[in-house]
Amino acid sequence: MAVTVNLGHTYLLQGDRRSAWLWYEKTVPLIEDESALQDGPLADFVRFIQRAWQPELAREAQDWFTENGQEWLAKNTSAEKRFAQGNHAEALTLYQQNPGGAASGQRYRYTCGSGEL
């Protein structure tokens, strides 16, 4: 996760929102747990805001990561619980529906000044 999020941060700090989000989209499925989300990307954005490094973009990215990271973790946790209970078909369905998940092939979408990516 560190490589993809740091590539996103590099673009964010240069003011390149589009490229930053492309890397952030790749980061979300790599988040293993709440601690990784809080102590990783979200802590980074707090530092960026405190140091006035692209604070507007950092706040936007922080909000995006909070929403999408929590969504990823909730769906992933639910799928893992169902798998552990022996409900493999339900677990597979949840894994496939999980945005950004490897099985789904879906991508997060965001709106930038020029439209939706």
Side-chain angles (χ1 to χ4, degrees), residues 12 45 48-61:
L12 179 108
F45 296 127
F48 298 164
I49 293 165
Q50 289 172 340
R51 294 176 179 160
W53 297 345
Q54 297 289 348
E56 289 180 29
L57 279 177
R59 279 187 196 90
E60 184 180 352

Side-chain angles (χ1 to χ4, degrees), residues 35-85:
S35 176
L37 176 63
Q38 294 296 327
D39 298 338
L42 295 181
D44 294 341
F45 296 127
V46 169
R47 281 191 285 282
F48 298 164
I49 293 165
Q50 289 172 340
R51 294 176 179 160
W53 297 345
Q54 297 289 348
E56 289 180 29
L57 279 177
R59 279 187 196 90
E60 184 180 352
Q62 182 181 43
D63 291 344
W64 184 89
F65 252 101
T66 298
E67 178 182 341
N68 290 288
Q70 294 293 343
E71 180 183 343
W72 164 260
L73 290 172
K75 288 182 179 180
N76 201 38
T77 300
S78 180
E80 288 174 1
K81 285 180 183 176
R82 293 210 174 130
F83 186 84
Q85 294 168 345

Side-chain angles (χ1 to χ4, degrees), residues 15-41:
D16 184 346
R17 184 179 188 277
R18 177 181 291 254
S19 296
W21 258 256
L22 290 174
W23 284 103
Y24 291 157
E25 289 172 356
K26 295 175 184 185
T27 300
V28 171
L30 304 175
I31 299 171
E32 294 183 11
D33 56 30
E34 182 68 26
S35 176
L37 176 63
Q38 294 296 327
D39 298 338

